[in-house]
Amino acid sequence: MLLSKGFEVEMYTGRADGEIIGLADKITKSVSGFVREPDSRNVEYTTPPLQQYEQLLCELVSPRRRLRQFLQTLDPSYTLIPGSTLSTGNSQVFHRSDPNNPYHAYIENTYGTDVVTASIHINLGISDPEMLMRACRLIRAEAPLILALSASSPFLDHRITGYHSTRWHIFPQTPQHVPLFESHDHFIQWTEAQLQLGTMQNVRHLWISVRPNGDCRPYNLNRIEIRISDLVTDPIHLLAITALLESRLLQLQQDPSLDPLISSQLPSHSRHDDLLEIIAHNEQQVAKTSLNAQLHHWQTGKPIKAADWITQIYNEVLPIAKTQGIACFLTPIKQIVREGNQAQNWLKQIEAGMDVSQVIRQTIEVMDRQEQSLQGDLCLPA
């Protein structure tokens, strides 16, 4: 049986020439379903938890079409901006969306504009808390592969940064040391300790690649939240990444020994710390070169290229995807591996002679056309 799936989508707003402009106040007052982020230059919408990918596609596209229609009433040049960083500036200034929010004040004063990024958080429903912890351990060990597929932030302030995911390179992961939670009780005790120590301001202040989530964290949990993904503006590609994750989780349900704490061949006496070291290394390497990154496999510690590892998992889970009737949604993974992710394709355009503004402007047009096409073919009018 398929898992329930939902997305939290953060997006920048601005002009068709690529200039990023803070419009959160106007949007959240006038367009239902959109909420503020700490900086006014981006807003977030959330899709409801659904099992069917066809429905998810519409829930991804329809809010964006409604938002675009509203932006047009403010100014015909207003639009949605692709990418996960302030590609066209200005990362020197924080534009507070809610000056009276003390948590936002803490974020600005502690992290500055390093947190003014746009991403996709992918949530998949798992009701059993111990299965959820097992899922978090496996997906955290493989989360760098999700970043490799989704990287879309090679620019900052009109500059090429040298990273395919500048967002993940600069984003402040916190607290500094987060273990692989061995049980639900372990997660509860650890969270309570962090809140007491002040290393977490609240239960949401756990900013790592993957975390357990639910309506009353850390006690009542019902989903795994994958936070490492850069913004994937192509809904078909986002569903492919989600199908890969879901198929992997279904495989884990069938074979609990996939748990890295169980099946890793790293020495048992140091396995936990060795796994955390590998995960941190892999995340840093993928932030730099995404699909081309040389990683270490959590199972053996041996080197493996990110693209090869993704292909290996794809082939493993394909029979499960076929059984569940979602293989067609998984297929675009092969295209991303073959042709490159958003960041790699943008950098190819730079090599061909375009500048950052031109690349962003062109992608703005592609996004708009793609959304129109998908909504026209598959969804009811916005």
Side-chain angles (χ1 to χ4, degrees), residues 96-378:
R96 281 282 292 280
S97 67
D98 184 358
N100 299 317
N101 186 317
Y103 183 45
H104 288 188
Y106 171 83
I107 288 171
E108 179 185 1
N109 294 333
T110 308
Y111 308 113
T113 57
D114 285 356
V115 299
V116 186
T117 61
S119 64
I120 299 264
H121 295 177
I122 306 169
N123 289 267
L124 294 108
I126 299 173
S127 56
D128 177 76
E130 297 311 326
M131 174 60 199
L132 176 55
M133 293 300 144
R134 196 177 300 125
C136 286
R137 293 192 291 269
L138 175 62
I139 301 304
R140 192 172 166 198
E142 295 177 353
L145 306 179
I146 303 306
L147 184 60
L149 288 163
S150 66
S152 65
S153 50
F155 310 135
L156 185 67
D157 293 336
H158 290 280
R159 292 183 296 104
I160 298 158
T161 64
Y163 289 84
H164 290 187
S165 178
T166 306
R167 166 185 162 266
W168 200 250
H169 172 61
I170 63 174
F171 195 86
Q173 295 192 55
T174 189
Q176 283 194 327
H177 180 83
V178 181
L180 292 168
F181 301 112
E182 295 173 22
S183 66
H184 187 203
D185 281 345
H186 182 200
F187 178 58
I188 291 171
Q189 291 163 17
W190 181 87
T191 303
E192 289 175 343
Q194 302 312 304
L195 293 170
Q196 217 166 20
L197 290 167
T199 55
M200 286 171 59
Q201 296 297 300
N202 53 51
V203 293
R204 292 177 295 145
H205 194 208
L206 172 55
W207 296 348
I208 57 171
S209 61
V210 175
R211 70 183 182 188
N213 203 346
D215 299 329
C216 184
R217 287 171 275 179
Y219 311 106
N220 296 333
L221 305 171
N222 63 5
R223 61 192 183 273
I224 179 173
E225 179 188 2
I226 296 94
R227 300 169 53 84
I228 198 169
S229 176
D230 268 7
L231 177 64
V232 183
T233 56
D234 184 333
I236 303 297
H237 285 182
L238 177 57
L239 292 186
I241 292 168
T242 307
L244 185 71
L245 280 164
E246 178 166 23
S247 300
R248 189 63 161 159
L249 290 172
L250 294 172
Q251 183 186 18
L252 177 65
Q253 284 184 343
Q254 293 173 14
D255 181 10
S257 71
L258 273 174
D259 183 341
L261 287 182
I262 295 172
S263 64
S264 175
Q265 295 164 25
L266 299 171
S268 57
H269 69 277
S270 61
R271 182 176 298 159
H272 179 273
D273 290 343
D274 290 345
L275 285 168
L276 288 179
E277 197 173 312
I278 283 174
I279 290 165
H281 169 269
N282 288 351
E283 288 185 14
Q284 290 164 13
Q285 293 304 112
V286 165
K288 182 81 174 167
T289 56
S290 65
L291 290 166
N292 295 326
Q294 289 294 329
L295 310 180
H296 293 289
H297 200 298
W298 61 260
Q299 208 150 23
T300 62
K302 291 180 179 176
I304 184 168
K305 186 180 173 184
D308 294 338
W309 193 353
I310 292 164
T311 301
Q312 186 183 93
I313 291 175
Y314 177 94
N315 291 331
E316 268 188 54
V317 302
L318 184 57
I320 293 168
K322 286 179 177 175
T323 301
Q324 295 294 331
I326 60 171
C328 60
F329 293 101
L330 188 64
T331 304
I333 294 293
K334 293 194 292 186
Q335 180 195 355
I336 301 171
V337 171
R338 184 177 65 249
E339 298 177 7
N341 55 39
Q342 180 84 85
Q344 290 172 305
N345 286 312
W346 277 352
L347 291 169
K348 286 174 194 170
Q349 290 176 285
I350 295 288
E351 287 171 14
M354 296 174 75
D355 62 26
V356 172
S357 291
Q358 289 171 324
V359 169
I360 297 299
R361 281 201 301 272
Q362 186 178 87
T363 310
I364 287 169
E365 294 171 9
V366 170
M367 279 172 64
D368 193 6
R369 286 198 304 270
Q370 185 179 44
E371 287 168 20
Q372 287 185 54
S373 173
L374 286 170
Q375 188 169 51
D377 291 345
L378 299 167

